Amino acid sequence: MFQDYHEFLAEIVVTEEQLKNRIIELGDEINRDYADEELLLVCILRGGVLFLSDLMRELAMPLRVDFMAVASYSIGARQSSGQARITLDLNTDIAGRHVLLVEDIVDSGYTLEAVLNLLKTRKPASLKTCVLLNKAERREVEVPIDYCGFIIPDKFVFGYGLDIDEYYRNLPFIGVVDAEKYQLRH
Ligand code: IMP
Ligand code: MG
């Protein structure tokens, strides 16, 4: 059931201002690293879309965008089970292209691992990752993170692309859920 987020927001971990500033820094870094290259941004749906749309406006090289979606076989609503399945694949042939994966958050690492393993087989010129949030403590499988927005503690977060039961993706900041106040549906 949809609730006003004020009823369960424990704290704001990343403010709108911090997001804006950090994304400008990440854009500068990426512009420097790919100065003379064309880039293909691959956004993982759905959580990565706000990050993608703000990040791409900071980028200066010729770039293309494509999308993938991944489902994790979940145990509960918010627990990934360690397996991920591609549910939407690219429309772009990535062979010989410089590919940068854009993802909202890395938790266990299984989602990113599944995408990286698949894309590697298609022989891109290069393959790197740009992740807004890194829950480093939660990692179960090592994945390379080339550009990282923020390292955050092991708490369930929402907003700026990240959902709770598919809602609240539109909030302009990243907040922590107070689990007791948020009535779990599952
Ligand atoms: P991983 O496969 O365990 O690394 O999980 C990554 C995916 O789980 C992300 O793409 C998110 O969709 C989701 N996820 C992990 N932690 C959170 C969270 O705190 N809030 C919302 N979604 C999350
Ligand atoms: Mg998600």
Side-chain angles (χ1 to χ4, degrees):
M1 200 175 62
F2 189 81
Q3 283 172 267
D4 179 353
Y5 70 83
H6 291 99
E7 292 169 29
F8 56 80
L9 172 67
E11 58 175 317
I12 293 180
V13 271
V14 188
T15 65
E16 195 172 353
E17 190 69 17
Q18 288 172 317
L19 285 167
K20 213 175 133 196
N21 293 336
R22 185 70 186 120
I23 289 169
I24 290 171
E25 290 175 357
L26 289 173
D28 288 345
E29 233 182 288
I30 295 167
N31 282 330
R32 248 181 279 126
D33 293 353
Y34 292 88
D36 300 315
E37 307 290 354
E38 180 175 320
L39 188 58
L40 173 68
L41 296 176
V42 171
C43 175
I44 303 178
L45 297 173
R46 281 163 284 209
V49 291
L50 271 73
F51 182 36
L52 170 80
S53 67
D54 284 337
L55 180 69
M56 67 191 283
R57 278 178 273 200
E58 302 302 327
L59 300 181
M61 72 289 282
L63 64 84
R64 297 187 182 202
V65 180
D66 204 347
F67 297 89
M68 290 181 83
V70 183
S72 49
Y73 296 97
S74 54
I75 309 164
R78 297 172 196 85
Q79 279 255 290
S80 99
S81 60
Q83 274 182 301
R85 175 174 55 95
I86 311 293
T87 56
L88 175 74
D89 204 342
L90 298 173
N91 274 316
T92 313
D93 179 6
I94 65 167
R97 293 189 183 281
H98 293 286
V99 175
L100 181 60
L101 278 176
V102 178
E103 170 68 311
D104 54 354
I105 187 166
V106 180
D107 187 10
S108 68
Y110 287 113
T111 303
L112 205 57
E113 185 190 46
V115 173
L116 285 170
N117 284 344
L118 177 65
L119 296 190
K120 267 182 215 158
T121 65
R122 298 178 181 171
K123 308 273 182 280
S126 69
L127 180 57
K128 287 188 174 185
T129 60
C130 180
V131 170
L132 182 64
L133 305 173
N134 179 3
K135 270 190 199 172
E137 295 165 47
R138 295 262 302 172
R139 202 61 26 83
E140 288 175 32
V141 57
E142 261 337 294
V143 282
I145 299 179
D146 298 291
Y147 304 96
C148 172
F150 302 90
I151 293 177
I152 60 161
D154 176 15
K155 289 178 179 167
F156 197 82
V157 293
F158 68 108
Y160 197 72
L162 294 131
D163 68 300
I164 313 172
D165 297 335
E166 292 303 326
Y167 291 101
Y168 311 105
R169 295 188 195 274
N170 54 316
L171 298 176
F173 56 81
I174 313 266
V176 173
V177 180
D178 181 326
E180 280 175 22
K181 290 186 184 154
Y182 184 82
Q183 287 307 306
L184 302 179
R185 284 196 305 172
H186 301 272

